[in-house]
Amino acid sequence: MDEDNQEIVITDMEPKVFKALLHFMYRDTLIEDEELSSSSLSSPPSVSDTLAAKLLAASHKYELPRLRLMCESVLCKDISVNSVAKILALADCYGAVELKSVCLKFAAENLVAKDALVAINKTGDYVVWFSFVLHWVATMLELVWFLFL
């Protein structure tokens, strides 16, 4: 019978992501890969291009809560002032409640850094201070956009 030799083609997932998904399903661990998180690379890709982000999407699609938690853990380590809005968007999109909570906490603690503004202001470097304020406003607008739109 030809039924046993039918090929299944998966078109909505990169081979590397599918390999990592199979690794998880058979071994209950994340694959050891330099692309798993962006902080381990010398020139980090966009957070959404990391293997952890793509596996988070797969965990949502295939309803694998343990994989989701593992991916959330990896992505939590990549949260920074520059990445928090994108990681928050991923968390919101894929139902990663813990990751979303960590992002919001990080934003509240770090993006409203009054001490940093005071320290910059004391140096008299108003260009740096103004740049910091613009960056903060832009980041807050991104957060509002992802949360409410």
Side-chain angles (χ1 to χ4, degrees):
M1 290 223 143
D2 238 4
E3 293 174 9
D4 294 337
N5 295 330
Q6 287 185 351
E7 193 173 294
I8 297 174
V9 179
I10 299 181
T11 58
D12 63 345
M13 190 179 300
E14 295 173 26
K16 180 179 268 192
V17 179
F18 188 71
K19 180 180 176 182
L21 181 63
L22 285 177
H23 178 92
F24 168 78
M25 293 173 99
Y26 283 100
R27 298 186 180 175
D28 198 35
T29 62
L30 288 178
I31 193 167
E32 303 232 357
D33 191 293
E34 64 276 355
E35 287 184 37
L36 197 56
S37 79
S38 64
S39 61
S40 62
L41 299 173
S42 57
S43 60
S46 170
V47 171
S48 57
D49 291 333
T50 63
L51 185 55
K54 292 174 182 179
L55 279 173
L56 180 66
S59 74
H60 180 73
K61 180 176 183 171
Y62 297 108
E63 298 181 9
L64 299 167
R66 182 159 162 71
L67 178 60
R68 179 183 44 77
L69 288 172
M70 293 169 120
C71 292
E72 286 184 61
S73 176
V74 170
L75 289 167
C76 278
K77 297 173 187 167
D78 284 341
I79 296 174
S80 69
V81 171
N82 295 325
S83 69
V84 68
K86 289 180 181 176
I87 294 175
L88 179 60
L90 286 172
D92 189 53
C93 184
Y94 300 120
V97 177
E98 294 298 320
L99 181 59
K100 187 174 182 179
S101 173
V102 170
C103 285
L104 291 172
K105 183 178 180 195
F106 179 90
E109 291 173 353
N110 294 284
L111 298 180
V112 187
K114 295 177 185 174
D115 295 337
L117 286 174
V118 170
I120 292 170
N121 196 13
K122 286 182 180 176
T123 65
D125 192 349
Y126 292 101
V127 173
V128 171
W129 181 81
F130 186 68
S131 171
F132 180 83
V133 170
L134 284 178
H135 178 73
W136 179 82
V137 168
T139 305
M140 293 311 293
L141 287 173
E142 279 185 70
L143 286 172
V144 167
W145 185 80
F146 285 123
L147 290 173
F148 300 107
L149 298 179

